[in-house]
């Protein structure tokens, strides 16, 4: 159910409560499953006697192509396993379908999930934990991952997710434009600004070169940029249980004042730009910097753009940036076949070991033997922001939170209004707090 709108969640919550029998719930789940068409599926190419592993994932575009390539490598190396991969629409459609299948104990053998979605997905209800001894047998142990990421995969002492990567918002810069603006150091890299004043100075210098904007960021959905800077202040939005709003209106207003100054007062960033426009402005040289997800690296490499990448700058006391991790989870099954589970873990281990290929698309490998390898260090510009993986701010806890969630939608309604000038920062901060209070007041539907 995670990923539905608040209204849909409210209705579902009333419907799935104890008054709903198991049979009626499974009937509803089956109808929902039938009504959601699969975008695409990869044939397992099953050989007689091969162990079938069914996977659902949400990787499309460049990520999808790279993931399929890694899966094909696994198939070639592991003929005893028949991998059947199915791609579903990213965001709410994926998580709604996955929750329905898992609630009936009929989930696939494996699925991808954003780590930020794990707490709200009710792991003990909709997911099966991994046997730690089986993970260890295939080299998947705590010491192979960053502590913060691994610890988020553990619920009540049991491992419910295995991280493939860490991905986050980063600082792109056009080396030619920034060079003309005097912002490139002797090492050929951007001199990272520190504090809001230095950031503004750099963006003004870049704007003089481009004649348009200093930087591009997604004005219609500025959640990632706002949440990054708010986290740098040490601000929290919701308590660990996802039931109490902790948003500091004064801190939020300070970040929003900066956003207004960037977009309205000095027009250093566009005040109304959707995601494609954000990418195009930087790719076309109309903005010399960009604050966006690292997954656009191949877009600019393929375009032959002269650019570099860096961690988010230290604007408010740290270099924290909003991020997430793609993980592998075991959707709940009424009966899980031990042979299939072993083949599933073997597949996960192979994907981790091959994650240098995944890193070429921008994501930082979660598997530290790859992240610390000489091969990854030689991968440019991807390795230039690798330290970001240790400075990630995750979405606030709550069933309504996580990548592509209701929280992001309601937050962007308030934040985007500041970028267009429709709301003053104090009013937008108050609107955001009211929206968060509404969300925490609705009980989790699972």
């Amino acid at each position: 159910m995670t990923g539905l709108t608040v209204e849909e969640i409210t209705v579902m919550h009333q419907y799935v409560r104890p008054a709903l029998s198991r049979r009626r719930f499974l009937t509803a789940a089956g109808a929902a499953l039938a009504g959601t068409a699969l975008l695409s599926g990869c044939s397992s190419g099953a050989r007689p006697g091969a162990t079938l592993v069914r996977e659902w994932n949400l990787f499309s575009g460049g990520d999808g192509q790279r993931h399929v390539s890694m899966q094909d490598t696994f198939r070639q190396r592991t003929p005893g396993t028949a991998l059947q991969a199915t791609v579903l629409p990213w965001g709410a459609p994926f998580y709604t379908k996955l929750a329905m299948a898992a609630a009936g104990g009929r989930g696939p053998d494996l699925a991808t999930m954003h780590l930020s979605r794990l707490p709200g997905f009710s792991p003990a209800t909709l997911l099966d934990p991994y046997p730690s001894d089986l993970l260890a047998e295939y080299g998947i142990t705590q010491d192979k991952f960053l502590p913060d990421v691994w610890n988020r995969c553990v619920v009540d002492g049991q491992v419910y997710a295995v991280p493939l990567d860490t991905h986050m918002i980063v600082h792109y810069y056009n080396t030619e434009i920034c060079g003309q603006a005097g912002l490139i150091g002797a090492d050929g890299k951007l001199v990272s600004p520190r504090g809001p004043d230095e950031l503004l100075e750099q963006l003004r210098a870049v704007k003089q070169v481009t004649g348009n904007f200093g930087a591009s960021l997604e004005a219609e959905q500025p959640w990632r940029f706002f949440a990054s800077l708010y986290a740098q202040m040490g601000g929290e939005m919701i308590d660990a249980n996802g039931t109490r709003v902790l948003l500091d209106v004064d801190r939020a207003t300070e970040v929003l004042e900066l956003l207004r100054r960037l977009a309205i007062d000095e027009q250093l960033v566009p005040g109304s730009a959707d995601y494609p426009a954000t990418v195009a402005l930087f790719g076309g040289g109309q903005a010399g910097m960009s604050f966006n997800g690292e997954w656009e690296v191949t877009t600019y490499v393929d375009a032959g753009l002269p650019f570099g990448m860096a961690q988010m700058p230290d604007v408010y006391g740290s270099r924290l940036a909003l991020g997430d991790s793609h993980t592998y989870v075991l959707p709940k099954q009424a009966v899980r076949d031990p042979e299939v589970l072993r083949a599933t873990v073997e597949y996960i281990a192979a994907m981790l070991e091959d994650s240098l290929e995944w890193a070429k698309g921008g994501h930082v490998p979660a598997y530290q033997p790859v992240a610390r390898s000489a091969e990854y260090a030689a991968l440019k510009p991807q390795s230039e922001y690798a330290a970001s993986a240790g400075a990630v701010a995750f979405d606030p806890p709550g069933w309504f939170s996580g990548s592509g969630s209701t929280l992001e939608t309601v937050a962007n309604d308030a934040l985007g209004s500041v970028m267009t000038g429709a709301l003053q920062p104090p009013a937008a901060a108050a609107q955001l707090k009211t929206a968060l209070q509404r969300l925490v007041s609705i009980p989790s539907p699972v």
Side-chain angles (χ1 to χ4, degrees):
M1 294 62 153
T2 304
L4 296 172
T5 65
V6 174
E7 290 73 17
E8 290 169 332
I9 284 290
T10 303
V11 173
M12 185 64 79
H13 177 263
Q14 296 170 346
Y15 186 60
V16 182
R17 285 296 164 183
L20 177 62
S21 71
R22 175 177 172 81
R23 176 173 295 180
R24 285 180 61 202
F25 179 77
L26 293 181
T27 300
L33 292 176
T36 305
L38 304 182
L39 283 185
S40 62
C42 298
S43 171
S44 64
R47 298 186 182 188
T51 301
L52 178 63
V53 174
R54 298 170 299 119
E55 181 211 57
W56 288 2
N57 70 73
L58 39 61
F59 298 124
S60 59
D63 277 355
Q65 295 171 14
R66 202 170 299 279
H67 200 243
V68 168
S69 175
M70 294 165 66
Q71 290 173 330
D72 288 343
T73 298
F74 170 78
R75 291 187 179 98
Q76 293 167 8
R77 295 175 179 173
T78 318
T81 298
L83 176 67
Q84 185 182 76
T86 301
V87 182
L88 287 83
W90 187 93
F94 178 84
Y95 288 112
T96 301
K97 183 177 177 68
L98 182 62
M100 287 292 196
R106 299 179 297 178
D109 302 308
L110 183 70
T112 53
M113 174 177 287
H114 289 92
L115 186 52
S116 61
R117 289 276 190 161
L118 183 64
F121 210 77
S122 186
T125 303
L126 298 177
L127 301 174
D128 286 328
Y130 286 95
S132 295
D133 56 346
L134 184 58
L135 290 178
E137 185 178 335
Y138 284 92
I140 304 173
T141 52
Q142 181 175 358
D143 60 302
K144 304 288 179 56
F145 301 87
L146 293 177
D148 186 46
V149 174
W150 179 265
N151 291 339
R152 290 174 183 272
C153 296
V154 178
V155 179
D156 295 331
Q158 299 194 84
V159 179
Y160 278 93
V162 175
L164 175 62
D165 64 42
T166 304
H167 52 278
M168 70 298 290
I169 183 173
V170 296
H171 191 179
Y172 293 83
Y173 58 95
N174 184 304
T175 52
E176 291 184 356
I177 292 174
C178 289
Q180 293 177 48
L183 304 179
I184 301 297
D187 58 359
K189 297 179 181 179
L190 178 73
V191 177
S192 185
R194 188 166 185 174
D197 291 338
E198 286 189 15
L199 175 64
L200 289 166
E201 288 175 7
Q202 284 200 356
L203 293 178
R204 292 183 194 116
V206 172
K207 181 177 179 177
Q208 287 185 338
V209 176
T210 65
N212 289 286
F213 298 109
S216 68
L217 61 87
E218 196 173 2
E220 291 185 2
Q221 300 189 57
W223 163 254
R224 286 197 297 265
F225 189 77
F226 167 83
S228 297
L229 299 190
Y230 181 78
Q232 289 185 5
M233 291 180 164
E236 295 181 88
M237 296 190 192
I238 297 170
D239 73 340
N241 297 319
T243 57
R244 188 163 63 92
V245 176
L246 302 178
L247 183 77
D248 186 321
V249 172
D250 290 338
R251 288 177 175 175
T253 299
E254 185 175 350
V255 177
L256 290 172
E257 292 282 5
L258 178 60
L259 283 177
R260 178 181 172 82
R261 189 169 180 181
L262 291 172
I264 303 297
D265 298 341
E266 300 196 39
Q267 298 181 6
L268 297 171
V269 304
S272 58
D274 58 14
Y275 189 86
T278 299
V279 175
L281 284 169
F282 180 69
Q286 293 174 286
M289 296 179 178
S290 181
F291 299 99
N292 200 355
E294 32 70 16
W295 49 83
E296 290 298 342
V297 59
T298 52
T299 300
Y300 303 130
V301 169
D302 291 345
L305 191 72
F307 76 103
M309 300 171 71
Q311 283 183 263
M312 273 286 287
D314 174 352
V315 181
Y316 289 115
S318 77
R319 302 194 76 169
L320 283 173
L322 191 71
D324 211 329
S325 291
H326 292 115
T327 70
Y328 291 114
V329 297
L330 303 175
K332 180 72 70 176
Q333 291 185 340
V335 178
R336 189 172 291 278
D337 187 318
E339 182 180 347
V340 174
L341 177 58
R342 174 171 290 276
T344 299
V345 173
E346 182 181 25
Y347 165 68
I348 295 171
M351 298 298 274
L352 294 176
E353 291 166 4
D354 196 25
S355 58
L356 179 66
E357 179 65 25
W358 189 240
K360 293 176 183 177
H363 306 320
V364 179
Y367 191 58
Q368 293 303 290
V370 173
R372 296 172 180 168
S373 68
E375 291 81 3
Y376 179 65
L379 188 63
K380 304 295 183 181
Q382 288 88 338
S383 62
E384 294 175 357
Y385 54 85
S388 297
V392 170
F394 283 81
D395 282 286
W399 62 261
F400 43 78
S401 185
S403 294
S405 65
T406 299
L407 170 60
E408 291 189 2
T409 300
V410 299
N412 282 320
D413 285 344
L415 306 176
S417 296
V418 172
M419 301 288 285
T420 62
L423 276 181
Q424 292 293 325
Q431 179 178 317
L432 176 58
K433 186 165 188 175
T434 298
L436 293 177
Q437 289 170 332
R438 180 186 177 210
L439 288 174
V440 300
S441 71
I442 303 174
S444 171
V446 293

